[in-house]
Every structure is written in C-alpha cells, then in structure tokens.
Amino acid sequence: MTARVLLLNPPSETVGAGNQRLTRVLYPPPPGGLASVAACLLRAGHEVVIRDLVLEPCPTEVLVQQALALRPDAIGFSVLGPTLASTRELSSRLKTALPGVHVFAGNALPSEYPAWFLDEVPACDAVVVGEGEQTAVELVDSGFSRPVAGAVRRGDRPEDFEIRPQISDLDSLPFPAWQLLPYRKYRASPQLLFRSAPTLGVLQSRGCPWSCGFCAQNYLWPQVRVRSLDSVAEELKRNLVDFGVRHHGFFDSIFPLKKGYGAGLHESLQRAGLLGKLRLFCETRADMVWEEDFTWLRKAGLHLVFLGIESPSEALLRTQDKIRAMYDVRQAVATLARLKLRSYGLFVLGLPGEVAADREALLELALSLPLDVASFGLYTRYPGSPTARQEGAAPQDLTSCNWGDVEELAAEQRRMMKAFYLRPALVARHLLRREIAMDRLLAGAFSLLAGPGLRPPASDP
C-alpha cells in the first residue's frame, strides 16, 4: 500500500534563529542521509516530500499548513544534537494538527539514545537505530504496526529490540533522491571551494578504519564497506546529466581508502565519459596522501583536499586515539602543492588537556604550512563518538555547545582565522589565481573583521 511520507531536516541551533548565522561565506551541506532514505522509500512505491528547513527556513504555522495539505501518513526527522528543540516543537505541532500521523526519527542523537529520545520527544512514535534506509521502508510498509529490526517503537520492550545488520552491498542502494530537494541551492562554502557552484555529495564508502575520539562516524557505520568505483561514476554521471551539477565532494570520512583507488576512479570516469567534466574534493588523513593516487585523482577532476591535522601535539592527539607523526603533515601538504592540488587544513581547538602553549603551537603550525585554506573548529563531543561513550556522557549534554570556556575558545578561533586569512601573501595568492570572486572575498573579510565567531553546522551522514 502506497504511503505519503514527509521527511524533514529541522532547524539547527548552530545556525541561529532563521539561520541568521549563515552568510555568503557559509552554507549548509546537502542532507545526504535524508536523500538516501527518500530514494529507498520511492523505490518501495511510496510518495515522498523532503523539506530542508536549514537551507529554506519556514515558519512553523506555514509548515503545518503545508503538512495539512499533503496529509502524510508518516513524518521523519533527521536529528543531530542541536536540532533536538526544534524537532520536539515541530513534531508536537504536526502531531496535534495530524493526530493519525506516525512520527519517526533517525541520525546521531536518537540512534545513540533511543529510549531517552522517545521520552524527550513525546510526539515521536519510533526511532531508527543505525542505517536508516531499510528500517524506514519497513516501518512505513508496516504502518508502524509491528516490530521492525533496527527500530525502537514507543511501547516496545527493550529486550525485543533486534539489531539490523549493516547493508553489505552499497551498490544495491538507489542513488540519493536529490530531485526532491532544491539541489541547485546547495553550495560548498566559498572559502572552501572558492568560486561557488551547485555542489552535491557522494559516498564511496561507509565507516572508517580508525576510531578517533572526536569523530562519530562509527556510531552509524561500525564496519567499513565500499561501493564499486563504477557505481560512483554512474551516480556522478546521473547528477551531471539529470541535474546539471558538476561540483561534488566525497563525503567519506577518508577518500581514497586504499592505494590504487585514484587510478581506479580515473578509469571509471573515463569509461563513463566524465573526464574533464567534473570538479571534485575529498577529505583524508595526512598519512594517506599517496602521491601516485592523488596524481590520478587530479587527472580525474580533484582540485581540493581536506587534511585532518587537528593539533601539532602528539600528547593531545593520543587522548583521542589518533596517532600521526608531524612529518606526515608537512610531507602531505608539500605533496599536494607539488601536484597543484589545493589544501584545506582542519584544526581543532579545545581538545581535552589543551593549554595556551598548545594553541600557540597550533597557530604557528598553521601559518608555517603552505595551506590554501584552513578552519579552526571547536572540539565537541558528538553522540556516538568514542569520547562521549567512554565518558558516559548524558545525552542532554550533547544537544548544543558542550565545551567549557566557549567564549574564550570562540575568541581564539577568531584570532586564528584573522591571523591565517588576513595575511597579504595569502590574499594576493587567491586574487592572482582568480579563485575567489571579489564580492565573496570582501564578504569573507567583513565576516572576519566584524562578525561573531561562527561554528559550521553539523552535516548529515
């Protein structure tokens, strides 16, 4: 039986009321998890509507009226910590307006703490634990009337919960249903990808072979699985031909995962007739920048690489179970520069045990490397991260900013951003390359000089 399903990406506290903290130099990422769940629901024969309330804010009253016109049988929420309050409010209002609707939720917060979440969000009828595609389809197929593996329904006994095995064949999943979203409005932030263009994400793998304490990748994907590179190429071709999108980011925790993937992707794109038609970016560890692979990736269209540097302090990194030698960082950045690939350094402020001297060493390292772009993120315990689990973190402590001395860290973040970006040599480098439009360069400078410190919104896995 066909059901109508409304999927929501709720507003996040990290971007402020009405998304006031989103500017011309900061954009929300496309919600890949919702798009993948939607694709599976469509394949199962259901009707699906997605609303991304981060990208397109909407007054609650208007959303309720739209839902009344749609008359959905089920409403699903993708919930990260900072979206708990808006999820609670929206689900309550929607349930009041549509008493018979079934409400379910997934993603990091409810998946990690399902029983607590059901208590916190009284309008929610079920929580999806782990990967959501198959569980969401079975919940909707069943009308929420019977137990489903991977789901915790209100009223179910804890001992009756059945873990759903991870999806072993990622090639069997349909491509994300970007057509249900305003896909041309998604941009990679200009300070990340320079001249901004419609940007979508693609995953070649799920899971990560590492278990860094600050990362929550493995809460959802505890085992690493990979797609064939031909499947990735076909998805990229679909996005280019059907949607006109040529700019893509690999949203894997690490890409490439293995040596040989660079040549393999180049070959797959060549077979698909995509060479010279795409621009790509990816994220990796400094000790996994393999010159041969990245040479092939550049030929395939790669132009920017995010490097997880975090901190120069090996002692601080060890507290997060991350081991990496400093020479790897310098060698990685030098390799990317030699290949004419842009480099984006990812640093973290506020790691447990950090002192003022550690921050000065971090800034000194950032300024000494020939990086093109850098960010100085604030350490956060995310639901499902090894650190949060080891510390036995209470879920209510993971729903917003959960670090101490936030004002001090925000001031340090702004100081480091100014020190990095307002260097005449760096500004001149970007101007000479014509990689940043002048209006966006001015907007970025104004944000650094005048605006409050920004914390990028969390992404949807």
Side-chain angles (χ1 to χ4, degrees):
M1 181 178 177
T2 299
R4 292 192 187 94
V5 183
L6 173 62
L7 297 178
L8 298 176
N9 191 29
S12 170
E13 292 178 5
T14 60
V15 296
N19 292 358
Q20 293 174 359
R21 293 181 187 168
L22 291 182
T23 70
R24 296 182 69 192
V25 293
L26 179 64
Y27 292 102
L34 281 183
S36 184
V37 168
C40 289
L41 287 166
L42 289 173
R43 185 172 65 179
H46 302 295
E47 300 174 13
V48 184
V49 172
I50 309 179
R51 291 297 313 276
D52 186 349
L53 302 176
V54 176
L55 182 72
E56 297 183 323
C58 176
T60 300
E61 296 75 12
V62 174
L63 181 65
V64 170
Q65 291 303 313
Q66 292 174 348
L68 284 170
L70 179 64
R71 308 299 297 185
D73 300 290
I75 300 176
F77 288 81
S78 177
V79 188
L80 297 165
T83 66
L84 175 66
S86 61
T87 299
R88 184 190 294 117
E89 177 189 358
L90 286 175
S91 61
S92 175
R93 294 287 298 275
L94 290 167
K95 192 88 165 183
T96 299
L98 298 161
V101 74
H102 298 290
V103 175
F104 64 105
N107 213 327
L109 187 66
S111 180
E112 181 72 0
Y113 305 103
W116 173 86
F117 186 87
L118 289 172
D119 288 340
E120 286 290 312
V121 185
C124 186
D125 299 300
V127 164
V128 174
V129 177
E131 288 180 318
E133 289 91 350
Q134 294 176 346
T135 302
V137 168
E138 290 187 21
L139 277 172
V140 173
D141 283 346
S142 69
F144 293 72
S145 62
R146 59 174 175 79
V148 167
V152 177
R153 298 179 308 156
R154 187 174 298 279
D156 284 350
R157 298 183 306 171
E159 58 268 27
D160 292 335
F161 174 70
E162 180 183 350
I163 297 175
R164 179 178 292 279
Q166 291 189 117
I167 300 169
S168 59
D169 181 10
L170 297 184
D171 285 3
S172 68
L173 290 171
F175 299 152
W178 297 122
Q179 69 273 18
L180 301 181
L181 286 154
Y183 55 85
R184 296 198 65 81
K185 291 185 178 181
Y186 292 106
R187 300 285 197 275
S189 296
Q191 72 265 37
L192 310 186
L193 288 173
F194 315 120
R195 290 188 181 272
S196 188
T199 303
L200 294 175
V202 63
L203 281 170
Q204 193 267 330
S205 65
R206 290 186 175 184
C208 178
W210 310 90
S211 296
C212 300
F214 48 74
C215 182
Q217 277 278 344
N218 290 334
Y219 89 90
L220 187 62
W221 302 322
Q223 296 176 345
V224 178
R225 291 144 298 145
V226 300
R227 292 171 63 188
S228 69
L229 294 171
D230 283 343
S231 174
V232 172
E234 286 304 312
E235 181 178 341
L236 292 170
K237 185 173 183 178
R238 187 281 305 253
N239 292 350
L240 178 64
V241 173
D242 293 356
F243 306 142
V245 175
R246 63 186 294 263
H247 217 188
H248 295 82
F250 282 95
F251 283 1
D252 310 51
S253 55
I254 296 173
F255 182 86
L257 263 181
K258 296 181 180 180
K259 291 183 178 181
Y261 275 18
L265 180 65
H266 182 275
E267 183 179 344
S268 292
L269 294 183
Q270 186 175 42
R271 282 197 296 267
L274 294 176
L275 290 183
K277 299 179 180 179
L278 302 173
R279 296 193 82 211
L280 308 169
F281 64 93
C282 71
E283 180 175 345
T284 189
R285 290 170 57 103
D287 53 4
M288 296 178 73
V289 178
W290 304 306
E291 184 159 358
E292 182 176 352
D293 278 273
F294 280 86
T295 298
W296 282 109
L297 288 172
R298 185 178 184 277
K299 294 177 181 178
L302 189 74
H303 74 106
L304 176 69
V305 179
F306 292 70
L307 282 176
I309 301 173
E310 289 87 34
S311 170
S313 170
E314 293 186 15
L316 290 179
L317 291 178
R318 278 196 295 270
T319 70
Q320 303 297 309
D321 291 329
K322 181 159 188 176
I323 307 299
R324 184 214 63 224
M326 278 311 304
Y327 73 86
D328 290 328
V329 174
R330 297 191 182 280
Q331 180 179 341
V333 179
T335 297
L336 295 176
R338 189 163 56 251
L339 296 177
K340 294 183 170 51
L341 288 167
R342 305 298 179 242
S343 56
Y344 184 117
L346 301 172
F347 298 92
V348 178
L349 287 169
L351 287 170
E354 182 184 84
V355 297
D358 294 317
R359 295 174 193 169
E360 291 306 316
L362 187 156
L363 179 58
E364 182 180 348
L365 174 64
L367 297 179
S368 72
L369 294 170
L371 294 165
D372 297 287
V373 193
S375 69
F376 303 88
L378 303 184
Y379 170 75
T380 304
R381 295 178 303 165
Y382 291 106
S385 66
T387 299
R389 287 180 172 178
Q390 290 165 10
E391 295 177 357
Q396 59 269 23
D397 294 335
L398 306 178
T399 60
S400 60
C401 299
N402 52 63
W403 53 86
D405 302 321
V406 63
E407 294 300 328
E408 177 188 354
L409 284 178
E412 284 291 278
Q413 181 187 51
R414 175 157 294 277
R415 179 175 73 91
M416 293 187 184
M417 293 284 280
K418 287 181 179 179
F420 185 88
Y421 282 105
L422 299 184
R423 292 176 293 165
L426 183 67
V427 173
R429 185 197 312 172
H430 288 310
L431 286 176
L432 288 173
R433 290 173 176 169
R434 299 183 179 181
E435 291 172 326
I436 302 180
M438 182 58 69
D439 62 333
R440 299 194 184 280
L441 181 66
L442 293 174
F446 178 81
S447 175
L448 285 176
L449 292 171
L454 298 177
R455 182 163 173 265
S459 62
D460 178 23

